[in-house]
Amino acid sequence: MNVPAWNPAVEFMEREALEQRQLAQLRQTVAQALKTPFYQRRLAAVGLTDSKDIASLGDLRHLPYTTKDDLREAYPYGMLAVNLEQAVRLHTSSGTTGTPTVVYHTRRDLDGWTELVARCIVATGATAHDVFQNMTNYGLFTGGLGLHYGAERVGMLVIPASSGNTSRQIQLMRNFRTTVVHATPSYLLHLHAALTLEGVGLDQLRLQKAFIGAEPHSEQTRCKIEDLFQIKAYNSYGLSEMNGPGVAFECVYQTGLHLWEDAYLLEIIDPRSLQPCAEEENGEIVLTTLQRQATPLLRYRTRDLSHLVGGHCRCGRSHRRLARIKGRSDDMLIINGVNIFPSQIEEVLMKVPEVSTNYLIQVEKRGAMDRLAVKTEIDARLFTGNPRALDDLRERISELLRSAILVKPAVELHEPGSLPVSEGKAKRVVDLRPVF
Amino acid sequence: MAEQLSVFIDNRPGRLNAVTGILRDQQINIRAMTIADHRDFGVAKLLVSDPALAQQALAEHGFAVALQPVLAVAIEDRPGGLHDLLEILAAHQINVLDAYGFVVAPSRQAIWCMTIADLAEATRLMTEQGLRVLKDRDLYAL
């Protein structure tokens, strides 16, 4: 079988040649990192001041890890490795607390990212003949622009629909005969329910493929989407620190996600011991950028849990495969594709005097979508007896949270002393969504 | 001026009777009670025989509780009794924010309790029109 590929020379490259390329790129990345205040300090601490000291890929093990907290502390310029005039775009994402993280891109960085996304798209069999409706949010979120530029490079007709407004999505799909969509799995389930509600049958659509990502999902969810729409659904993996989408993607065989190893150096570690995992053992994905100029990252701890899929893929690509993401090694929650840390919610609640800092976060499925509820307690001393003031308070907290975490939660007010206390190891997150 | 007790109560089984249990233990009588549903919680408003003691007892048990003045007016328990009162307020452009009523059967009287922004003005008006504005102790003498 002729396997579709965007860049066959790289995608089917022999492992030996690929590793040689990785070593050369790793040296360049270290040299680039040494231009940033953050890595100058961090690498000097392990005695590394010259990228020539990297003799083999094994030397990676001597480099320190980089965490999301490091990115926060270096915000906004501490990890910038080029002059600002060379940077042409930035994307920020929410940090574990109020401080966001930022990734800058030079023109070459964007070009590299676009190339990786183009590879992903073509690996699923999509071509320039396809009409691509991008149903993820444009803007700071990387899913919108990332897929957008990749799809344009492939030559697809791109509809930058962005997220939400389901009626309009359906209209666009019908009018322009959309063949490929990109969305979160929960949104596609929601979309199907909306199609049923509006009486739009599958025969009125031309849909063939969906790219699904931004939230962990089970094989059953994928099968359900494929079954409901009578299409093929391909799993997409990426994170904003590593550009966004385009890090790893399923090929037509759908047996794990090929990670582009000429662009990212992959390690899987035990998140407790920080030691490498045995082959095919489950652990935390750690990635080092190999092509980035503006924001090089060394051994970045993604906190995503997965394992390598053994053996060779029938497609013949030499780039190894990750199994679907199984969860997180930290307390980050993914709500309808948006990443949220409980600490961000706590930080907002601390600023509202009328409520205590005791809180409980509850996540559940409402139909196909996630519903986030934030339960907090009123402060008895500030209770005036006016119910309207309480409604206003609830709305105010909800708005404050929305601007901090980009999701508007249902805020609930409860009696003083009815929730777990803020000190100690109280269980503050109740996730009632079905596990997989 | 009569005082109304407002209590914040979680909207789940077992909370309302926690309030009434505390009042019973203090031998406090409830003259009237209303609850507004606000989804995850409710605010109960009570007229009780000893508002200050009730507030203290509930607060000691951790409840968020507040005392607020209300305009309690005695009206006749007959068709048009409430309407006569409201006509007076309307004629003077006085808005009623929140209200409830109850009937004291033996005396053939009804009591209408209102939350009003300018209580002093409303009280003056009621008295001027010959209506009886009740204090806490009056409510239990009915």
CSV table of all heavy atoms in Angstrom, one decimal, chain B residues 92-120:
chain,number,residue,atom,x,y,z
B,92,HIS,N,-47.6,56.7,46.7
B,92,HIS,CA,-46.4,57.5,47.1
B,92,HIS,C,-45.1,57.0,46.5
B,92,HIS,O,-44.0,57.3,46.9
B,92,HIS,CB,-46.3,57.5,48.6
B,92,HIS,CG,-47.4,58.3,49.3
B,92,HIS,ND1,-48.6,57.8,49.4
B,92,HIS,CD2,-47.4,59.5,49.7
B,92,HIS,CE1,-49.4,58.7,50.0
B,92,HIS,NE2,-48.7,59.8,50.2
B,93,GLN,N,-45.3,56.2,45.4
B,93,GLN,CA,-44.1,55.7,44.7
B,93,GLN,C,-43.1,54.9,45.5
B,93,GLN,O,-41.9,55.0,45.4
B,93,GLN,CB,-43.4,56.9,44.0
B,93,GLN,CG,-44.1,57.5,42.9
B,93,GLN,CD,-44.3,56.6,41.7
B,93,GLN,OE1,-43.3,56.1,41.1
B,93,GLN,NE2,-45.5,56.3,41.3
B,94,ILE,N,-43.6,54.1,46.5
B,94,ILE,CA,-42.8,53.3,47.3
B,94,ILE,C,-42.7,51.9,46.8
B,94,ILE,O,-43.8,51.3,46.6
B,94,ILE,CB,-43.2,53.4,48.8
B,94,ILE,CG1,-43.0,54.8,49.3
B,94,ILE,CG2,-42.5,52.4,49.7
B,94,ILE,CD1,-43.5,55.0,50.7
B,95,ASN,N,-41.5,51.4,46.6
B,95,ASN,CA,-41.4,50.1,46.0
B,95,ASN,C,-41.2,49.0,47.1
B,95,ASN,O,-40.5,49.3,48.1
B,95,ASN,CB,-40.1,50.1,45.1
B,95,ASN,CG,-40.1,48.8,44.3
B,95,ASN,OD1,-41.1,48.3,43.8
B,95,ASN,ND2,-38.9,48.3,44.0
B,96,VAL,N,-41.9,47.9,46.9
B,96,VAL,CA,-41.7,46.8,47.8
B,96,VAL,C,-40.7,45.8,47.3
B,96,VAL,O,-40.8,45.3,46.2
B,96,VAL,CB,-43.1,46.1,48.0
B,96,VAL,CG1,-42.9,44.9,49.0
B,96,VAL,CG2,-44.1,47.1,48.6
B,97,LEU,N,-39.6,45.6,48.0
B,97,LEU,CA,-38.5,44.8,47.5
B,97,LEU,C,-38.9,43.3,47.7
B,97,LEU,O,-38.5,42.4,46.9
B,97,LEU,CB,-37.2,45.1,48.2
B,97,LEU,CG,-36.7,46.5,48.0
B,97,LEU,CD1,-35.5,46.8,48.9
B,97,LEU,CD2,-36.3,46.7,46.5
B,98,ASP,N,-39.5,43.0,48.8
B,98,ASP,CA,-39.7,41.6,49.2
B,98,ASP,C,-40.8,41.6,50.2
B,98,ASP,O,-40.9,42.6,51.0
B,98,ASP,CB,-38.4,41.0,49.8
B,98,ASP,CG,-38.5,39.5,50.0
B,98,ASP,OD1,-39.3,38.9,49.2
B,98,ASP,OD2,-37.8,39.0,50.9
B,99,ALA,N,-41.7,40.6,50.2
B,99,ALA,CA,-42.8,40.7,51.2
B,99,ALA,C,-43.4,39.3,51.4
B,99,ALA,O,-43.2,38.4,50.6
B,99,ALA,CB,-43.9,41.6,50.7
B,100,TYR,N,-44.1,39.1,52.5
B,100,TYR,CA,-44.9,37.9,52.7
B,100,TYR,C,-45.9,38.3,53.8
B,100,TYR,O,-45.8,39.3,54.4
B,100,TYR,CB,-44.0,36.8,53.2
B,100,TYR,CG,-43.1,37.1,54.4
B,100,TYR,CD1,-43.5,36.8,55.7
B,100,TYR,CD2,-41.8,37.7,54.1
B,100,TYR,CE1,-42.6,37.1,56.7
B,100,TYR,CE2,-41.0,38.0,55.2
B,100,TYR,CZ,-41.4,37.7,56.5
B,100,TYR,OH,-40.5,38.0,57.5
B,101,GLY,N,-46.9,37.5,53.8
B,101,GLY,CA,-48.0,37.8,54.8
B,101,GLY,C,-48.5,36.5,55.5
B,101,GLY,O,-48.2,35.4,55.1
B,102,PHE,N,-49.2,36.8,56.6
B,102,PHE,CA,-49.8,35.6,57.3
B,102,PHE,C,-51.0,36.1,58.1
B,102,PHE,O,-51.2,37.3,58.3
B,102,PHE,CB,-48.8,34.9,58.2
B,102,PHE,CG,-48.2,35.9,59.3
B,102,PHE,CD1,-48.7,36.0,60.5
B,102,PHE,CD2,-47.1,36.6,58.9
B,102,PHE,CE1,-48.1,36.8,61.5
B,102,PHE,CE2,-46.5,37.5,59.8
B,102,PHE,CZ,-47.0,37.6,61.1
B,103,VAL,N,-51.9,35.2,58.4
B,103,VAL,CA,-53.1,35.6,59.1
B,103,VAL,C,-53.1,35.1,60.5
B,103,VAL,O,-52.6,34.0,60.8
B,103,VAL,CB,-54.3,34.9,58.3
B,103,VAL,CG1,-55.6,35.1,59.1
B,103,VAL,CG2,-54.5,35.5,56.9
B,104,VAL,N,-53.5,35.9,61.4
B,104,VAL,CA,-53.6,35.5,62.8
B,104,VAL,C,-55.1,35.3,63.0
B,104,VAL,O,-55.9,36.2,63.2
B,104,VAL,CB,-53.1,36.6,63.8
B,104,VAL,CG1,-53.1,36.1,65.2
B,104,VAL,CG2,-51.7,37.0,63.3
B,105,ALA,N,-55.5,34.0,63.0
B,105,ALA,CA,-56.9,33.6,62.9
B,105,ALA,C,-57.8,34.2,64.0
B,105,ALA,O,-58.9,34.8,63.8
B,105,ALA,CB,-57.1,32.1,62.8
B,106,PRO,N,-57.4,34.0,65.3
B,106,PRO,CA,-58.3,34.4,66.4
B,106,PRO,C,-58.7,35.9,66.3
B,106,PRO,O,-59.8,36.3,66.6
B,106,PRO,CB,-57.6,34.1,67.7
B,106,PRO,CG,-56.5,33.2,67.3
B,106,PRO,CD,-56.2,33.5,65.9
B,107,SER,N,-57.8,36.8,65.9
B,107,SER,CA,-58.0,38.2,65.9
B,107,SER,C,-58.5,38.7,64.6
B,107,SER,O,-58.8,39.9,64.4
B,107,SER,CB,-56.7,38.9,66.3
B,107,SER,OG,-55.7,38.7,65.3
B,108,ARG,N,-58.7,37.8,63.6
B,108,ARG,CA,-59.2,38.2,62.3
B,108,ARG,C,-58.3,39.3,61.6
B,108,ARG,O,-58.8,40.2,60.9
B,108,ARG,CB,-60.7,38.6,62.3
B,108,ARG,CG,-61.6,37.6,62.9
B,108,ARG,CD,-62.4,36.8,61.9
B,108,ARG,NE,-62.9,37.6,60.7
B,108,ARG,CZ,-62.9,37.0,59.5
B,108,ARG,NH1,-62.5,35.7,59.4
B,108,ARG,NH2,-63.4,37.6,58.5
B,109,GLN,N,-57.1,39.2,62.0
B,109,GLN,CA,-56.1,40.2,61.4
B,109,GLN,C,-55.1,39.5,60.5
B,109,GLN,O,-54.9,38.3,60.6
B,109,GLN,CB,-55.3,40.8,62.5
B,109,GLN,CG,-56.0,41.9,63.3
B,109,GLN,CD,-55.0,42.6,64.2
B,109,GLN,OE1,-54.5,43.7,63.9
B,109,GLN,NE2,-54.7,42.0,65.3
B,110,ALA,N,-54.6,40.2,59.6
B,110,ALA,CA,-53.5,39.7,58.7
B,110,ALA,C,-52.3,40.6,58.9
B,110,ALA,O,-52.5,41.8,59.2
B,110,ALA,CB,-53.9,39.7,57.3
B,111,ILE,N,-51.1,40.0,58.8
B,111,ILE,CA,-49.9,40.8,59.0
B,111,ILE,C,-49.2,40.8,57.6
B,111,ILE,O,-49.0,39.7,57.0
B,111,ILE,CB,-49.0,40.3,60.1
B,111,ILE,CG1,-49.7,40.1,61.4
B,111,ILE,CG2,-47.7,41.2,60.3
B,111,ILE,CD1,-50.3,41.3,62.0
B,112,TRP,N,-48.8,41.9,57.2
B,112,TRP,CA,-48.1,42.0,55.9
B,112,TRP,C,-46.7,42.5,56.2
B,112,TRP,O,-46.5,43.6,56.7
B,112,TRP,CB,-48.9,42.9,54.9
B,112,TRP,CG,-48.3,43.0,53.5
B,112,TRP,CD1,-47.8,44.2,53.0
B,112,TRP,CD2,-48.1,42.0,52.6
B,112,TRP,NE1,-47.4,44.0,51.7
B,112,TRP,CE2,-47.6,42.6,51.4
B,112,TRP,CE3,-48.4,40.6,52.5
B,112,TRP,CZ2,-47.3,41.9,50.2
B,112,TRP,CZ3,-48.1,39.9,51.3
B,112,TRP,CH2,-47.6,40.6,50.2
B,113,CYS,N,-45.6,41.7,55.9
B,113,CYS,CA,-44.2,42.1,56.2
B,113,CYS,C,-43.5,42.5,54.9
B,113,CYS,O,-43.5,41.7,53.9
B,113,CYS,CB,-43.5,41.0,56.8
B,113,CYS,SG,-44.1,40.6,58.4
B,114,MET,N,-42.9,43.6,54.9
B,114,MET,CA,-42.2,44.1,53.7
B,114,MET,C,-40.8,44.6,53.9
B,114,MET,O,-40.5,45.1,55.0
B,114,MET,CB,-43.0,45.3,53.1
B,114,MET,CG,-44.4,45.0,52.6
B,114,MET,SD,-45.3,46.5,52.3
B,114,MET,CE,-45.7,47.1,53.9
B,115,THR,N,-39.9,44.3,52.9
B,115,THR,CA,-38.6,44.9,52.9
B,115,THR,C,-38.7,46.1,52.0
B,115,THR,O,-39.1,45.9,50.8
B,115,THR,CB,-37.6,43.9,52.4
B,115,THR,OG1,-37.6,42.7,53.2
B,115,THR,CG2,-36.2,44.5,52.5
B,116,ILE,N,-38.3,47.2,52.5
B,116,ILE,CA,-38.5,48.5,51.7
B,116,ILE,C,-37.2,49.3,51.9
B,116,ILE,O,-36.6,49.3,53.0
B,116,ILE,CB,-39.7,49.2,52.3
B,116,ILE,CG1,-41.0,48.6,51.7
B,116,ILE,CG2,-39.7,50.7,51.9
B,116,ILE,CD1,-42.3,49.1,52.2
B,117,ALA,N,-36.8,50.0,50.9
B,117,ALA,CA,-35.5,50.7,51.0
B,117,ALA,C,-35.6,51.8,52.1
B,117,ALA,O,-34.8,51.9,52.9
B,117,ALA,CB,-35.2,51.3,49.6
B,118,ASP,N,-36.6,52.7,52.0
B,118,ASP,CA,-36.8,53.8,52.9
B,118,ASP,C,-37.8,53.4,54.0
B,118,ASP,O,-39.0,53.8,53.8
B,118,ASP,CB,-37.1,55.1,52.2
B,118,ASP,CG,-37.0,56.3,53.2
B,118,ASP,OD1,-36.9,56.1,54.4
B,118,ASP,OD2,-37.1,57.4,52.7
B,119,LEU,N,-37.4,52.7,55.0
B,119,LEU,CA,-38.3,52.2,56.0
B,119,LEU,C,-39.0,53.3,56.8
B,119,LEU,O,-40.2,53.2,57.1
B,119,LEU,CB,-37.6,51.2,56.9
B,119,LEU,CG,-37.6,49.7,56.5
B,119,LEU,CD1,-36.8,48.9,57.5
B,119,LEU,CD2,-39.1,49.2,56.4
B,120,ALA,N,-38.2,54.3,57.1
B,120,ALA,CA,-38.7,55.4,58.0
B,120,ALA,C,-39.9,56.1,57.3
B,120,ALA,O,-40.9,56.3,57.9
B,120,ALA,CB,-37.6,56.3,58.3
